[in-house]
Amino acid sequence: MYQRGDFLYEGKAKKLYKVQSFDDLIWVEFKDSLTAFNAEKKGQFSDKGLINSKISHYIFNYLTEQNIKTHLVELVEPQVWVTKKLDMIPLEVVVRNQVAGSLAKKFHLPKGKKLKKPLVEFYYKSDELQDPFVSAEQIECLDLYSNLEILSDLKSLGLKVNESLKSFFKKIDLDLIDFKLEFGCNDKGEIVLADEISPDSCRLWDSKSGDNLDKDRFRYDQGKVEESYKEVLNRIERVYA
Ligand code: ADP
Ligand code: UDP
C-alpha cells in the first residue's frame, strides 16, 4: 500500500506529494477549487476534486486500453492518484474539433463552427506569461524546449487521443469540442500522457441540446456548474463502470 510522503507542490487544481519509498512515483490529490482566466477568477464546490478524479480515471483507463501510455499507476483513494513521476514537457497541447474559446475570440468565428480537420496547437506553460500560444518555430528559435523531435510526436499523440476521446464521449451523447493535454518523459525517454482529462480541461457539449457541461459554465457564470460535472460522471458511469 502506498503512503503519502513529503509535500512537493500545490497547483490550481491539484496538490503533489512524494510517495514514501518510491522515488519514481508521485502522490496527486485533486482539489475542490476551480480557477479560470489564469486564476483571476476563483471558485470551488464540494466533491469537485472527487468528481474530476473519477472522470479522469475512467478516461485514463480507457486510453490505456487504446494503447496510449499514461502516468496513472493506481487510484489509491477516490480523490487521490499515484502516478509515475515525469519530466514534464512545458507545453499544453490543445486539440480542437470545433471553434470555441480563444480560437473564436481570436478570429471572430462563430462558436461551434466545425473545423476542416482537427487542429493541434501548442501553448507555452508559464503562469507568469499566462500560457501564450507558441508556434513550432518559436519553440525552436527561442529554445523553449530542446527536444524538437518531440513536437511531431506530441501532435500525432494529440490526434490519437482526440480520436479515442471523441468516440468515448459520443457513446454518452457528448460532443468533444476541444481539450488540453500535458505530457512528460519517463526515464526511458518515452512520451507519457500526464496530468488529468476532465470537464476542467475539455469542452463538452450535449449532442442533442448543445448545452455545455464543462468549465465554461464557471468561466461565464452560466450556473449549474456542479450539476454539469456530476452529469458527465453519471453518464460515464452508466456506460463505462
Ligand atoms: P497548475 O500547476 O497548472 O496549477 P495543477 O494544480 O493541476 O495545475 O497541478 C498539477 C501539476 O503537476 C502541473 O504543474 C502538472 O504539469 C504537473 N504534473 C502532472 N502530472 C505529472 C507527472 N506525472 N509528473 C510530474 N508532474 C506532473
Ligand atoms: N485549457 C485548459 N487549460 C488551460 C487552457 C486551456 O485546460 O490553461 C483547455 C480549455 O478548457 C479548452 C481548451 O483547452 O477545453 C482550449 O482552450 P482555449 O484556448 O479556448 O482557452 P480558454 O479560452 O478556454 O482559456
Side-chain angles (χ1 to χ4, degrees), residues 80 85 115 118 161 164-165 174 178 199 209:
V80 180
K85 181 170 148 193
L115 298 174
V161 171
S164 294
L165 288 185
L174 290 173
D178 60 27
S209 67

Side-chain angles (χ1 to χ4, degrees), residues 192-237:
V192 178
L193 179 65
D195 209 53
E196 66 174 281
I197 300 177
S198 70
D200 271 7
S201 59
C202 301
R203 287 195 169 90
L204 300 167
W205 295 1
D206 184 90
S207 308
K208 293 183 188 111
S209 67
D211 289 348
N212 61 308
L213 299 171
D214 54 44
K215 196 157 94 170
D216 275 352
R217 301 207 72 85
F218 168 72
R219 287 189 185 100
Y220 303 111
D221 299 315
Q222 293 171 325
K224 295 192 178 167
V225 181
E226 185 174 349
E227 290 88 336
S228 301
Y229 279 58
K230 278 187 184 153
E231 173 66 14
V232 173
L233 177 59
N234 288 341
R235 289 191 195 191
I236 291 174
E237 289 192 322

Side-chain angles (χ1 to χ4, degrees), residues 91-95 157-158 161 179-183 193 197:
L91 296 172
E92 295 191 336
V93 179
V94 167
V95 184
L157 274 167
V161 171
F179 59 96
K180 181 264 306 180
L181 301 174
E182 292 186 33
F183 295 92
L193 179 65
I197 300 177

Side-chain angles (χ1 to χ4, degrees), residues 120-177:
V120 182
E121 299 172 341
F122 299 118
Y123 291 81
Y124 184 54
K125 238 183 111 62
S126 157
D127 284 339
E128 190 193 349
L129 302 174
Q130 306 189 338
D131 301 344
F133 172 90
V134 280
S135 66
E137 287 271 297
Q138 285 174 333
I139 296 167
E140 179 176 7
C141 298
L142 299 172
D143 203 17
L144 297 178
Y145 191 68
S146 50
N147 189 350
L148 292 170
E149 294 93 78
I150 263 180
L151 295 183
S152 66
D153 294 345
L154 290 180
K155 183 174 172 185
S156 40
L157 274 167
L159 291 171
K160 186 171 175 192
V161 171
N162 184 42
E163 289 313 310
S164 294
L165 288 185
K166 273 197 297 188
S167 56
F168 179 91
F169 286 118
K170 199 176 164 61
K171 287 202 187 82
I172 53 170
D173 290 324
L174 290 173
D175 290 341
L176 178 63
I177 306 305

Side-chain angles (χ1 to χ4, degrees), residues 9 11-14 16 26 71 83-86 88 125 182 194-195:
Y9 169 82
K12 297 183 285 292
K14 295 186 284 296
L16 271 47
I26 50 172
H71 69 160
T83 72
K84 290 273 183 215
K85 181 170 148 193
L86 301 173
M88 292 302 287
K125 238 183 111 62
E182 292 186 33
D195 209 53

